Amino acid sequence: MTLVAVGILQKNGKVLVCQRKKGSRYELKWEFPGGKVEKGETVQDCLKRELKEELSVTIRQVGRVEIQASHYEDGGTFEVHYCFVQHFDGEVGNNVFEQVRWVTPKELQDLDNLEGNSVIVKKLAEGSL
C-alpha cells in the first residue's frame, strides 16, 4: 500500500482544488494537492514538501486528518491522509497543475474529481467534515 498525504486547504468557506495536467495520468481530473510519502518522511513532512513544491505555500498548522483507502485497478492501493489546513503562509501559486481553483464544498461535487476522493468530496459537500 502506498502512503499519500494531501492537503484540504480551506479559506473563507472554500476549498482549494487542482486540475491534473492534460496528458498526465487521469488527465484533467480534479484533486487535492499533495503526493506520496517518501521513505523516512512523516505524513506532515510530506505534505509540507508537496504544498511548497506544487503551490508555493508553507503550512503553519494542520487541523484534523481523515484517512481513506483507495484502490485503482491500474495503480494499486493507496492510504490517503487528508490533512485539513486553514493556516498557511504565502499566496497560492500554480507550479504543476493545469489550473487551481477555490470552490465551495457544493461546487466541488460538480467537478470531474479523481475517483479516490469521492468519499471526502461527498462529506465536504454534505457539511459533515
Side-chain angles (χ1 to χ4, degrees):
M1 185 175 313
T2 303
L3 187 59
V4 176
V6 299
I8 298 181
L9 277 68
Q10 299 173 302
K11 183 173 149 181
N12 301 323
K14 294 188 175 186
V15 295
L16 185 78
V17 288
C18 307
Q19 188 179 41
R20 289 181 174 226
K21 283 215 178 251
K22 188 172 177 84
S24 68
R25 184 180 229 178
Y26 310 119
E27 69 177 347
L28 302 179
K29 294 280 189 183
W30 290 91
E31 65 181 350
F32 301 107
K36 296 175 184 163
V37 177
E38 295 177 355
K39 186 174 181 164
E41 194 174 44
T42 67
V43 168
Q44 285 203 7
D45 287 342
C46 172
L47 186 65
K48 287 177 183 179
R49 175 181 53 77
E50 290 286 351
L51 294 186
K52 188 69 167 171
E53 290 172 3
E54 295 177 352
L55 303 172
S56 300
V57 297
T58 303
I59 298 172
R60 278 193 272 145
Q61 181 181 353
V62 172
R64 137 172 124 251
V65 177
E66 293 282 327
I67 301 171
Q68 297 281 326
S70 297
H71 181 76
Y72 293 88
E73 290 299 323
D74 61 345
T77 302
F78 298 86
E79 180 181 289
V80 183
H81 291 239
Y82 293 92
C83 304
F84 288 75
V85 178
Q86 294 179 329
H87 305 287
F88 58 91
D89 293 320
E91 290 297 316
V92 171
N94 178 5
N95 301 329
V96 297
F97 299 102
E98 191 72 26
Q99 60 179 311
V100 297
R101 188 185 299 174
W102 288 100
V103 298
T104 66
K106 293 281 186 195
E107 293 169 328
L108 179 61
Q109 68 183 350
D110 295 331
L111 297 174
D112 186 14
N113 293 292
L114 197 61
E115 183 182 333
N117 293 335
S118 61
V119 171
I120 294 295
V121 166
K122 183 175 185 225
K123 286 181 177 182
L124 283 167
E126 293 172 344
S128 61
L129 285 179

